[in-house]
Amino acid sequence: MDRSQQLDLVIVVDRLLTGFDAPCLSTLFMDRQPMAPQNIIQAFSRTNRLFDYAKQYGQIVTFQAPKEYKDAINRALKLYSRGGDGNPIAEDWDNVRTSFSISLKAIRNLARTPEDIAGLSRKQKKEFIHLFRALDHDFAHLKSFSVYEPYILDEFGFSEEEYEDYAAMYKNVMEELKRPDDGLEPDGDPVWDDYDLVAYSRLRIDFEYIVELLRGVVESLDQSQNDFNEAEFEARIRAIKEIIAEFAGDNPKLSVLLMQVVDELEKDKERFLGQDISFIINQMRYAVIDAEIRKYAEKWYLDFEDVRYEAFHFRDGELANENKLKDSADYASYRKENKDALPKFKFRKLMIDEFKNVLMTEIAPLMD
């Protein structure tokens, strides 16, 4: 097989895979002789090109002579980066693990836990910004390897959750440091650049993002029977299910509802033709919310609309009109219908406690 045939095979395999799985893995078959630098760069570019929301990257695999190809890739990257003055950047797994370990130790030497960051001085918080960016870079690099699995983090006593806690503190510290200190203007420290966290992913997945993905799937149904690609539809449904499963870590109740919509879409596509998926989802969402509100209102002899108003205006653990809601309860009817009726003051207290700790716990995850 000559080099042009190798490159063609890369492209063909990539095209075959992009329509059927997500994320897609594209295989690069190479013989003992490394490809020319320009062909290596082209192969990487073609394999890693974006396809859709489900295909954000490809994967290069060498089946022979990995050391020779690592050297060849380094030469190609050096040749085609920064005018030929760049350094080789194709690293192996062990080097990346070591770099990640060093970054993690450095940040823990400064702040053993994310909670410790709040007590740091302004100077130390600036140091934290730089150390966390290094950790973020190395963590993202570690996760980019196909051999990475979350359990690997156990070796370091680290987790995705701890990373996200550090990331949350990073955002808070960035906002704090941008404010003047003791009346002085913020200095020209490089913490003010536009660095984007690259390992930060799970918390970016939200309800609206998933709805947009579903809207795209529904819009793709509006085609003639001959144009519809069943394999692509199934691949997109699988990808959305994976995203919803990830989102469940943040909002399990809303995830159950979204998964129900996806299951119905998968079973009965015609029902969704020409429909606004966001309207359907919101109908389901508010139906569940109203059912919980109605159940609470009936239990405590309250008007449904009064409870609904308080639920949608509940802020920072407090009702908008707590005393008004207490007064609106039909305590006389409650006492008449219950032999073991509570005294009025206990009735009111339990009613408000259940509103805050039971009703809102049930419906808040489903609300905007």
Side-chain angles (χ1 to χ4, degrees):
M1 181 185 296
D2 63 28
R3 290 177 182 136
S4 63
Q5 289 175 317
Q6 293 169 3
L7 187 56
D8 288 340
L9 186 54
V10 173
I11 298 166
V12 168
V13 172
D14 186 47
R15 287 176 178 166
L16 284 173
L17 290 174
T18 51
F20 297 96
D21 201 1
C24 302
L25 304 179
S26 302
T27 306
L28 177 59
F29 292 85
M30 296 178 172
D31 61 16
R32 292 290 300 184
Q33 297 300 317
M35 299 164 71
Q38 66 271 22
N39 287 341
I40 289 176
I41 295 300
Q42 186 180 9
F44 272 70
S45 300
R46 294 287 185 91
T47 304
N48 283 319
R49 78 195 189 286
L50 297 181
F51 181 73
D52 58 17
Y53 69 93
K55 202 272 187 184
Q56 299 294 317
Y57 56 87
Q59 179 172 329
I60 303 297
V61 179
T62 57
F63 287 99
Q64 298 185 59
K67 182 180 184 303
E68 288 83 350
Y69 274 103
K70 180 176 183 293
D71 293 340
I73 290 166
N74 280 335
R75 287 194 296 272
L77 292 172
K78 184 174 182 179
L79 179 63
Y80 285 95
S81 65
R82 298 186 292 277
D85 293 327
N87 295 317
I89 61 173
E91 298 178 88
D92 59 35
W93 171 248
D94 290 336
N95 288 339
V96 172
R97 278 169 55 94
T98 299
S99 182
F100 170 75
S101 176
I102 292 171
S103 294
L104 182 59
K105 287 177 181 177
I107 205 167
R108 282 179 167 169
N109 284 338
L110 179 68
R112 179 61 189 169
T113 68
E115 292 75 17
D116 293 338
I117 295 162
L120 299 179
S121 68
R122 188 176 178 89
K123 181 178 179 181
Q124 288 173 320
K125 286 177 179 177
K126 288 184 179 181
E127 183 181 355
F128 164 71
I129 292 296
H130 295 292
L131 291 177
F132 182 74
R133 288 177 179 177
L135 176 66
D136 175 68
H137 172 271
D138 291 337
F139 189 29
H141 202 169
L142 189 76
K143 293 198 293 183
S144 70
F145 281 77
S146 60
V147 295
Y148 172 80
E149 294 290 348
Y151 71 81
I152 289 172
L153 298 178
D154 294 343
E155 301 174 24
F156 302 96
F158 193 63
S159 66
E160 287 271 3
E161 291 74 18
E162 186 176 358
Y163 165 82
E164 288 166 2
D165 290 341
Y166 274 117
M169 292 303 300
Y170 169 88
K171 291 174 178 288
N172 291 341
V173 169
M174 280 295 294
E175 291 303 314
E176 178 186 338
L177 293 180
K178 287 178 182 178
R179 297 193 295 268
D181 180 36
D182 298 327
L184 300 176
E185 291 298 317
D187 56 35
D189 192 278
V191 299
W192 317 129
D193 63 23
D194 295 326
Y195 179 84
D196 289 324
L197 301 182
V198 289
Y200 196 68
S201 58
R202 185 167 70 87
L203 295 183
R204 290 181 177 175
I205 297 175
D206 59 18
F207 172 73
E208 295 299 332
Y209 172 68
I210 295 172
V211 171
E212 284 302 312
L213 294 181
L214 285 169
R215 181 179 287 116
V217 173
V218 171
E219 289 175 354
S220 73
L221 300 177
D222 193 15
Q223 305 174 28
S224 69
Q225 188 69 25
N226 293 333
D227 291 336
F228 182 71
N229 188 323
E230 184 69 34
E232 180 180 347
F233 170 79
E234 291 176 0
R236 296 175 76 177
I237 289 294
R238 285 199 304 272
I240 291 174
K241 283 184 176 181
E242 290 177 5
I243 291 170
I244 293 173
E246 189 175 354
F247 177 61
D250 294 325
N251 194 324
K253 291 183 179 295
L254 192 51
S255 296
V256 170
L257 187 146
L258 289 167
M259 195 66 79
Q260 180 183 342
V261 173
V262 174
D263 287 339
E264 292 178 5
L265 172 60
E266 191 174 18
K267 293 174 184 176
D268 186 7
K269 294 187 281 288
E270 291 187 3
R271 175 190 160 196
F272 291 84
L273 278 172
Q275 299 296 313
D276 182 347
I277 192 68
S278 63
F279 178 76
I280 293 173
I281 292 172
N282 283 328
Q283 271 191 322
M284 295 173 65
R285 194 158 56 111
Y286 289 112
V288 174
I289 292 171
D290 287 349
E292 292 294 330
I293 290 174
R294 194 174 303 281
K295 183 169 66 174
Y296 172 85
E298 290 174 355
K299 177 179 179 179
W300 294 100
Y301 294 78
L302 292 161
D303 180 75
F304 169 80
E305 291 298 337
D306 289 345
V307 178
R308 196 173 196 274
Y309 176 87
E310 291 298 331
F312 280 88
H313 291 81
F314 188 72
R315 298 288 185 276
D316 301 321
E318 299 297 330
L319 287 77
N321 300 287
E322 181 176 318
N323 290 331
K324 184 178 179 181
L325 188 67
K326 288 178 180 177
D327 292 339
S328 69
D330 188 355
Y331 179 75
S333 295
Y334 159 77
R335 187 170 182 176
K336 182 179 179 180
E337 296 176 11
N338 292 271
K339 293 181 179 180
D340 300 322
L342 296 168
K344 192 171 186 178
F345 78 94
K346 284 189 176 180
F347 173 86
R348 287 184 165 190
K349 181 180 185 304
L350 287 176
M351 180 183 78
I352 297 302
D353 287 346
E354 185 170 320
F355 181 97
K356 293 179 178 180
N357 302 318
V358 180
L359 176 63
M360 291 311 301
T361 298
E362 287 294 320
I363 66 176
L366 298 171
M367 300 171 75
D368 292 332

